[in-house]
Amino acid sequence: MSTLPSFTGDASPYGGGDPYADYRSADFSFTQYVDLADRRLGAGVIAANDEFFAERENLLKPEAAEFDPEHFGHKGKIMDGWETRRRRGVSATQPHPTDEDHDWALIRLGAPGVVRGIVVDTAHFRGNYPQAVSVEAASVPGSPSPEELLAPDVKWTTLVPRTAVGGHAANGFAVDVEQRFTHLRLNQHPDGGVARLRVYGEVAPDPRWVAALGTLDLAALENGGQVEDASDRFYSPATNTIQPGRSRKMDDGWETRRRRDKGNDWIRYGLAAQSEVRAVEIDTAYLKGNSAGWAALSIRDGESGEWVEVLPRTRLQPDTNHRFLLDAPAVGTHVRIDIFPDGGISRLRLFGSLTPEGASRLIARHQELGG
């Protein structure tokens, strides 16, 4: 685990104008991974010991935290985050909380996986952020209740030890624990507020579930698919194309800037494991004057395999879900979609099943991660 100590310490009081003008952040290398705590994947904040000033659910909002200096309620300043009341000691002679006193929130990850990095964002919490935070993780099958997660027999692994954080800042922590987790416990010491929590990592699906499904979307984030690279991420991230559900608005897909050369844009995906792809969906929902003009699909097996075109360059219509049945199953581990010349798509679905070799590798990986 590592942190960025330059972001610890106080933030200046809000002086008016743009509330993000003095916000402190950095380019964290682990943000290339998917946010395992994304609500679209099914993540949720299922419990907290205290949320007197601001509700725990705010932690996982997808958008940046907002700040309205005039927004007050019956309990005080209303903040866009999770904020607890001030802790007190036990008596007039002991007015301060003990070193062990802390507040906590339980987070269910949207998809179980290996955590590569965590951002504890204290945006707009300037004089009311925690002195320190810590993060623990557990792997519990099924849909456990808060009481079951807090039972004494549940093993919690420390991902971020108790570490001082800064106010009005994105506090980033790289994680190097090679295990599969389903739930997190965010602790703030001794009290205070956190605006957002982001948990970046790699999805590690349960191979038993994948086997039971048989035919599934082999590129979907929730099934272990991932975006490995893309030519352009100007307007929106390529990862949107393998999120659950259909796009609900234009920026819920992938859109590139306008090209002024003779090239084209593309996304490269890693599939859940070696697979047989039999059907393809390319959706341009909500992309009307900016959808891709044409698309082609290629597949390869292994990191050094040759790319084989399985869907030739095909005309796309705006705001339309296009379905294609492949003439023969396409076997591989990686897929690339090329769009011409630019524009965007909202979703890519690759339906099929794992090969015996792919299933064996998925089982072996699951066991390596403690599943």
Side-chain angles (χ1 to χ4, degrees), residues 89-108:
V90 295
S91 67
T93 57
Q94 294 179 293
H96 302 99
T98 69
D99 288 342
E100 290 73 34
D101 286 341
H102 67 278
D103 293 318
W104 52 265
L106 293 177
I107 294 92
R108 178 189 64 246

Side-chain angles (χ1 to χ4, degrees), residues 257-295:
R257 74 189 80 195
R258 299 186 188 215
R259 277 192 171 266
R260 302 307 186 197
D261 59 20
K262 300 301 181 182
N264 73 282
D265 289 313
W266 51 268
I267 305 174
R268 188 179 74 241
Y269 303 89
L271 303 181
Q274 189 189 65
S275 310
E276 286 189 355
V277 179
R278 296 187 291 273
V280 176
E281 284 189 359
I282 302 174
D283 196 351
T284 58
Y286 293 96
L287 296 163
K288 299 180 179 180
N290 51 354
S291 67
W294 293 262

Side-chain angles (χ1 to χ4, degrees), residues 134-308:
S134 60
V135 182
E136 302 162 280
S139 183
V140 182
S143 304
S145 67
E147 293 74 22
E148 290 170 325
L149 287 169
L150 296 172
D153 61 333
V154 173
K155 178 187 176 183
W156 289 90
T157 299
T158 298
L159 302 186
V160 179
R162 183 170 175 168
T163 306
V165 294
H168 195 44
N171 300 274
F173 306 89
V175 177
D176 57 4
V177 180
E178 200 71 15
Q179 294 182 43
R180 177 183 185 269
F181 296 111
T182 60
H183 294 77
L184 297 189
R185 182 162 59 192
L186 171 64
N187 304 305
Q188 46 178 337
H189 308 267
D191 54 40
V194 173
R196 297 289 188 266
L197 176 70
R198 306 296 187 222
V199 184
Y200 296 99
E202 299 175 63
V203 175
D206 185 338
R208 295 168 298 179
W209 178 256
V210 172
L213 293 178
T215 296
L216 70 159
D217 181 359
L218 299 155
L221 285 173
E222 57 194 323
N223 295 330
Q226 59 181 313
V227 168
E228 295 186 334
D229 200 3
S231 61
D232 187 292
R233 299 177 175 88
F234 189 83
Y235 285 113
S236 46
T239 301
N240 282 352
T241 61
I242 51 176
Q243 289 280 6
R246 293 200 72 199
S247 174
R248 293 169 294 178
K249 50 193 176 78
M250 191 172 74
D251 67 349
D252 194 16
W254 173 59
E255 182 188 357
T256 72
R257 74 189 80 195
R258 299 186 188 215
R259 277 192 171 266
R260 302 307 186 197
D261 59 20
K262 300 301 181 182
N264 73 282
D265 289 313
W266 51 268
I267 305 174
R268 188 179 74 241
Y269 303 89
L271 303 181
Q274 189 189 65
S275 310
E276 286 189 355
V277 179
R278 296 187 291 273
V280 176
E281 284 189 359
I282 302 174
D283 196 351
T284 58
Y286 293 96
L287 296 163
K288 299 180 179 180
N290 51 354
S291 67
W294 293 262
L297 199 73
S298 302
I299 192 168
R300 76 179 184 193
D301 192 28
E303 295 291 340
S304 59
E306 294 290 330
W307 288 105
V308 177

Side-chain angles (χ1 to χ4, degrees), residues 51-55 70-79:
E51 47 186 331
F52 185 85
F53 286 115
E55 295 84 359
E70 305 299 327
H71 197 191
F72 286 83
H74 294 294
K75 294 181 180 180
K77 182 73 184 72
I78 295 177
M79 297 294 290

Side-chain angles (χ1 to χ4, degrees), residues 9 11 18 36 42 50 53 57 65 73 112 123 131 154 195 201 221-222 233 290 330 334 358 361:
D18 178 7
L36 299 174
D50 185 284
F53 286 115
E57 289 86 356
Q131 180 186 38
V154 173
L221 285 173
E222 57 194 323
R233 299 177 175 88
N290 51 354
H334 299 75
R361 290 182 180 177

